[in-house]
Amino acid sequence: MSEHSDPIASPGLPDAAQATPPRLSEQFIVWLEALAGRDRGALAVLRRSLGFAPGSHPAAFPFVERFVPDAAGQDALRPALYLTAGLYASHPQHRPGLSLARSFGLLMHERQSPSIEKRFITLLSTDAEGLPELLRQVIALLAADERGLDYAALLDDLVLWWRPWAIEPRDRMRQRWARDFYRSAPAAGGDGADPADPAPASDPGR
């Protein structure tokens, strides 16, 4: 389990989900992985939901709404769940322990592309309104290179991004993303970072 100081608590879920880990973010990705294995049509629906504001595409409700606690209907958790579902459906390659920022940093160093760094800085600077489109672009670049990421960790972080009052936690989260991105550079004289053995994405200062 990835370490997060403010894990999303699990609501009452279907019996099948109760056997999975207690963090809702992890349960949700387990559900999406199972869905991908049995219903490709559902993934198509979730991909199409990226063309709408998160949580506003009714066709996606059957696959996500069951995970939204009643108290969180209008909170940051609901849009974060829908955005994560759409992103996962567009690139269903979950890699526990490999943060989006580190995966994107590895891609930058492999391609030697300054434009990727500029895109990452723009992502860190954006507000909640601009987040879905920028993340969609980032995931598309990772998918083109077949690089996975930890979607459960991403979901946890998206909740912070959408909570306007969580200023300090959100700043720490962005700093952690920056460290993951820039520490993905190959060590001097080494053969480069190995994406098959990702460094922990946890931040002791969170």
Side-chain angles (χ1 to χ4, degrees):
M1 182 184 301
S2 59
E3 294 179 4
H4 287 265
S5 61
D6 184 23
I8 304 171
S10 170
L13 295 174
D15 291 342
Q18 291 293 352
T20 61
R23 279 178 55 227
L24 172 58
S25 50
E26 291 178 346
Q27 290 185 348
F28 188 54
I29 303 309
V30 167
W31 160 258
L32 290 176
E33 289 181 313
L35 190 66
R38 70 174 185 268
D39 191 347
R40 304 300 293 184
L43 289 192
V45 170
L46 292 173
R47 282 195 299 272
R48 285 195 294 271
S49 74
L50 291 174
F52 302 81
S56 66
H57 185 45
F61 290 180
F63 311 112
V64 181
E65 205 63 32
R66 70 188 67 196
F67 284 88
V68 181
D70 290 340
Q74 303 301 321
D75 189 17
L77 176 56
R78 187 172 185 274
L81 285 166
Y82 276 93
L83 179 55
T84 300
L87 294 173
Y88 175 87
S90 69
H91 178 41
Q93 194 169 337
H94 177 52
R95 291 283 303 280
L98 179 61
S99 70
L100 178 147
R102 183 165 190 263
S103 188
F104 205 43
L106 290 169
L107 178 63
M108 178 189 71
H109 292 295
E110 179 172 302
R111 293 190 181 182
Q112 293 296 301
S113 173
S115 67
I116 290 180
E117 181 181 21
K118 291 178 181 177
R119 193 181 297 269
F120 179 72
I121 292 173
T122 300
L123 174 64
L124 290 187
S125 304
T126 195
D127 56 16
E129 184 177 354
L131 189 59
E133 176 60 21
L134 289 174
L135 280 176
R136 187 191 64 76
Q137 295 171 12
V138 168
I139 294 298
L141 287 170
L142 293 176
D145 208 55
E146 297 187 350
R147 290 186 177 275
L149 66 141
D150 189 331
Y151 281 98
L154 177 61
L155 173 54
D156 286 338
D157 287 343
L158 290 181
V159 172
L160 289 178
W161 221 308
W162 255 300
R163 284 180 176 159
W165 47 265
I167 297 174
E168 290 187 9
R170 186 165 56 252
D171 285 346
R172 290 197 299 271
M173 179 266 293
R174 285 171 166 155
Q175 293 162 17
R176 172 167 48 81
W177 280 38
R179 287 193 295 273
D180 283 356
F181 183 83
Y182 288 107
R183 287 176 180 174
S184 65
D191 296 328
D194 179 9
D197 184 25
S202 59
D203 173 15
R206 290 188 66 183

